[in-house]
Amino acid sequence: MRPAEQRPRAGYATEFADEYDRWFGKPRTTGATVEALVSLAALSGGGRVLELGVGTGRIALPLRERGLSVHGVDGSEDMVRQLRAKPSGADLPVVIGDFADVPVSGSFSLVYLAGGTFGELPDQESQSRCFDRVARHLEPGGLFVLDAHVPEALAAATGPDIVSEGDGHLVLCYRRLDPSVQRYRSHYVIHEDGRTRHLRVDFRYTGPGELDLMARQAGLRLKERWADWSGAPFTRDSAAQVSVYERP
């Protein structure tokens, strides 16, 4: 087991688990992600599906409703407790653990991460290990899918961005990059009911080239790359990437 200081921090997942879906579960983005994964699941053979960083189940549970056999891994018992409280959430198999290690049994036709979760792995070693462990659990022809920011777009962005807003709340995000360690910190300012809170989450960013290299080292190959979960073309102007890797 890695030392505690090297593991992904899950402070936000403990303190804000009960608010995560309301603040960050954008219906349009969630819907596009679910539709893309349903199509990829069919393309990869329709076998078992694994979500790394399953959290509250905002993606996994809709996939189960579409008839997929979904399993999950997450490091936060608080987030999984929110999943269990939802209809059919008690039946979704979840392993509590570090998703870099993919601590599950058996093989899967589709493994995925969504919502920038891959960036929560703190260093290249843990990110590379995640690719390697995923490849070991993929069936031949299976797919590994993840989304991430494009580093150049992160560096060029000026904030803050509006993450969520409603009659009683406003969530703003400002990101600060540290190129010396290839990391960025997202500062979330949450104002609700006359109270303002400050949430910090750290990420390690990766460009398309580095992701492709990790994939090749794990025996995977790039199949497709999109600008978002709707399948928009990935171009020089894209701010995000959804990368689809295949086990030959």
Side-chain angles (χ1 to χ4, degrees):
M1 181 177 292
R2 286 179 292 159
E5 65 271 13
Q6 295 181 12
R7 298 178 208 146
R9 298 196 307 171
Y12 77 93
T14 298
E15 187 175 356
F16 297 101
D18 57 342
E19 304 289 357
Y20 181 85
D21 285 346
R22 185 163 63 92
W23 289 342
F24 301 106
K26 298 179 181 179
R28 181 176 298 179
T29 303
T30 298
T33 305
V34 169
E35 292 301 323
L37 290 169
V38 168
S39 297
L40 290 171
L43 186 64
S44 63
R48 297 199 307 164
V49 176
L50 176 65
E51 179 173 2
L52 303 179
V54 67
T56 65
R58 68 180 184 89
I59 303 296
L61 291 177
L63 289 178
R64 277 174 61 91
E65 292 174 1
R66 300 289 290 271
L68 300 182
S69 176
V70 185
H71 300 245
V73 174
D74 204 272
S76 170
E77 294 182 0
D78 296 275
M79 295 287 272
V80 174
R81 192 173 297 115
Q82 296 297 315
L83 182 156
R84 297 296 188 211
K86 296 178 180 180
S88 76
D91 300 327
L92 197 151
V94 177
V95 173
I96 301 296
D98 187 344
F99 69 76
D101 297 322
V102 192
V104 296
S105 300
S107 60
F108 299 85
S109 65
L110 174 65
V111 180
Y112 70 92
L113 300 102
T117 303
F118 183 75
E120 292 189 46
L121 295 176
D123 49 43
Q124 188 181 70
E125 188 277 331
S126 58
Q127 291 180 342
S128 296
R129 186 170 72 256
C130 182
F131 266 94
D132 180 70
R133 300 294 170 80
V134 166
R136 297 183 192 183
H137 286 282
L138 277 180
E139 299 172 355
L143 301 176
F144 178 38
V145 190
L146 60 94
D147 59 4
H149 291 287
V150 173
E152 292 81 1
L154 276 174
T158 57
D161 296 325
I162 297 176
V163 175
S164 177
E165 60 179 328
D167 293 338
H169 78 280
L170 175 66
V171 181
L172 302 176
C173 177
Y174 172 75
R175 298 181 179 93
R176 186 173 182 84
L177 272 68
D178 184 351
S180 69
V181 290
Q182 201 170 318
R183 296 182 64 80
Y184 69 92
R185 172 170 290 181
S186 288
H187 294 264
Y188 293 95
V189 178
I190 303 153
H191 184 77
E192 185 170 38
D193 297 330
R195 179 187 177 194
T196 300
R197 286 175 279 180
H198 182 194
L199 167 66
R200 303 169 183 85
V201 187
D202 292 326
F203 299 88
R204 181 183 188 269
Y205 59 81
T206 47
E210 185 179 9
L211 289 173
D212 292 352
L213 179 59
M214 292 179 186
R216 287 196 298 272
Q217 291 174 335
L220 306 177
R221 63 188 179 194
L222 181 67
K223 183 177 179 64
E224 296 184 62
R225 176 167 284 128
W226 311 321
D228 56 39
W229 286 100
S230 72
F234 184 75
T235 70
R236 65 181 183 182
D237 298 320
S238 298
Q241 54 181 316
V242 176
S243 301
V244 182
Y245 297 100
E246 181 180 36
R247 179 184 172 189

